[in-house]
Amino acid sequence: LETWFATLIRDAFALDATGVYRPFREVATASLEALFVEPGPGQAQIDRIIDGFAELDAHPDVEPAMRHVRNKGARVVALTNGNAGVTDRLLVRAGLRDLVERIISIDEVQHWKPKPEVYRHCANVVGVEPRRVALVAVHPWDCQGAGRAGLMTGYVGRDGKIFPPTMDPPDVVGRSLVEVVEKLLADR
């Protein structure tokens, strides 16, 4: 799974860096097919694996973190490299959809995160200056992209994962989503 995800992200970033946009499902399917030797899985098997993204469980800290954000009067928006419909189904399945104001997909701008255009589009859609928007992520590259686009950033270092020193440091670091949002909202 980690190899597949790393391959998917690598290929998506390479495509975007060379001016080519392909949606999540297309890149995910191609990267999965590339991991298998001939003959690989059939299309039905690949579809079942890709469709599994909508069946992932949320980490236990997601719901309390989102509730904390909402209780503080802040807004929650999902910004995804995936499809908005799949993200919507994932949130509904996890019982979190009512906490999310809007789902914004890269399909809207035809660029993959961490391109600055994606984060600026998000800020524009919600009508907030980029410096007043915070992106919280477990992927250092996502924090790097958001920070370079002028957003505040919060890195969730689950399992003690450290933020790479080669990237711009995030504004806030924590081991859980709750810890990160508490730190980001401390002055609110």
Side-chain angles (χ1 to χ4, degrees):
L1 183 61
E2 287 183 26
T3 300
W4 173 40
F5 186 73
T7 302
L8 186 168
I9 292 298
R10 179 205 64 203
D11 292 354
F13 291 178
L15 287 165
D16 204 15
T18 59
V20 177
Y21 176 75
R22 297 282 190 265
F24 182 89
R25 188 175 190 98
E26 187 176 335
V27 179
T29 298
S31 62
L32 184 59
E33 289 171 342
L35 290 177
F36 292 96
V37 294
E38 293 292 331
Q43 190 60 47
Q45 291 173 302
I46 288 174
D47 287 343
R48 197 168 65 245
I49 293 168
I50 304 293
D51 291 342
F53 274 104
E55 298 173 14
L56 294 172
D57 292 325
H59 285 270
D61 58 350
V62 174
E63 189 269 339
M66 285 184 170
R67 289 212 183 278
H68 181 69
V69 171
R70 296 291 299 268
N71 290 341
K72 286 285 195 170
R75 300 157 67 188
V76 176
V77 174
L79 178 61
T80 180
N81 267 341
N83 174 276
V86 172
T87 301
D88 184 70
R89 287 191 301 277
L90 200 153
L91 291 168
V92 167
R93 183 177 176 277
L96 302 169
R97 186 59 182 98
D98 63 321
L99 297 173
V100 178
E101 175 183 323
R102 170 94 152 64
I103 298 168
I104 300 171
S105 168
I106 61 167
D107 293 333
E108 296 176 30
V109 290
Q110 307 255 312
H111 286 292
W112 282 72
K113 295 187 296 174
K115 279 276 191 136
E117 294 89 340
V118 178
Y119 306 99
R120 291 184 192 124
H121 173 74
C122 177
N124 186 51
V125 165
V126 297
V128 178
E129 295 177 48
R131 65 183 175 81
R132 306 249 328 128
V133 175
L135 174 103
V136 178
V138 297
H139 303 295
W141 53 260
D142 212 356
C143 291
Q144 176 72 15
R148 285 287 163 155
L151 280 65
M152 289 182 286
T153 57
Y155 174 68
V156 181
R158 288 202 168 100
D159 301 322
K161 291 183 181 172
I162 63 164
F163 195 85
T166 54
M167 294 188 184
D168 300 334
D171 297 298
V172 170
V173 174
R175 287 181 173 250
S176 75
L177 190 56
V178 172
E179 182 183 353
V180 170
V181 299
E182 284 177 347
K183 288 178 179 180
L184 282 167
L185 295 168
D187 297 331
R188 201 168 162 83

